[in-house]
Amino acid sequence: MTQDPRTLRTRARLRAALLAECETRPLDEVSLSAVARRAGVGRATLYLHYDGLRALAVDACADVVREAVDALHAWTAPPGPDAPPAPLTEFLTAVAARADLYRGLLDEGGGGPLGTLLHHELRARSEAERARAGAPHPALAASAVAAAFTGLLADWLHGHLGDIPPDALAAHIWRLLIAIHRAVT
């Protein structure tokens, strides 16, 4: 990817414009014209940087995905089920504050640009860490962890889990993910 300052600024404006549009409506109701207009660029400029709205959305979601993956792996000692890492609770609290935005990027069940990227990145990181630790079946455990977390996050954001506060959800997710790792032997 180019490091040209103009390109970086334009891409940042496009990402910010998309996220701002998604705060008021779901991604499937956002138009490329609205994003380009909000970013102060022409549609042709948008297409110079992205293949379309979905590609822009994936790029715009990269930071939240990195935060989620880091939050789930923010432990130094072997994790126990009683206390999720503080960054996991912090992440869920931040997501709750922008729930409308993330609902527009994360479809029910865990699809959408945010869900696809989150699942992919979380699976890759979990598999690498499990393989590095010499744990059995790293791909199997990593796939289960990624699917469970992404699906639960989506269902929570879409209101399918009831009114669970972020700290309680973090505790439930954490116990579930530990159970997955322990079950895959």
Side-chain angles (χ1 to χ4, degrees), residues 92-174:
L92 293 171
T93 300
V95 166
R98 298 186 77 189
D100 289 340
L101 167 63
Y102 296 124
R103 260 192 302 274
L105 298 170
L106 182 63
D107 296 341
E108 293 186 29
L114 177 57
T116 301
L117 186 60
L118 178 58
H119 187 275
H120 174 76
E121 295 295 323
L122 184 54
R123 185 183 64 221
R125 174 96 169 258
S126 295
E127 184 175 352
E129 288 192 5
R130 192 167 168 98
R132 190 171 29 258
H137 309 291
L140 177 64
S143 183
V145 163
F149 181 77
T150 304
L152 285 168
L153 181 63
D155 286 351
W156 179 60
L157 285 171
H158 286 279
H160 299 302
L161 302 182
D163 192 23
I164 301 175
D167 59 334
L169 182 63
H172 290 300
I173 288 173
W174 189 243

Side-chain angles (χ1 to χ4, degrees), residues 73-80 85 174 178:
H73 292 90
W75 49 272
T76 52
W174 189 243
I178 288 174

Side-chain angles (χ1 to χ4, degrees), residues 26-121:
L27 180 64
D28 61 354
E29 294 177 14
V30 172
S31 72
L32 285 171
S33 296
V35 172
R37 191 170 33 257
R38 188 181 284 263
V41 302
R43 281 181 58 141
T45 299
L46 191 151
Y47 280 114
L48 284 174
H49 297 280
Y50 298 100
D51 291 335
L53 194 61
R54 189 168 185 86
L56 172 56
V58 168
D59 190 31
C61 292
D63 288 340
V64 74
V65 166
R66 188 172 33 261
E67 291 166 12
V69 171
D70 288 345
L72 286 171
H73 292 90
W75 49 272
T76 52
D82 297 330
L88 177 57
T89 302
E90 293 164 8
F91 169 76
L92 293 171
T93 300
V95 166
R98 298 186 77 189
D100 289 340
L101 167 63
Y102 296 124
R103 260 192 302 274
L105 298 170
L106 182 63
D107 296 341
E108 293 186 29
L114 177 57
T116 301
L117 186 60
L118 178 58
H119 187 275
H120 174 76
E121 295 295 323

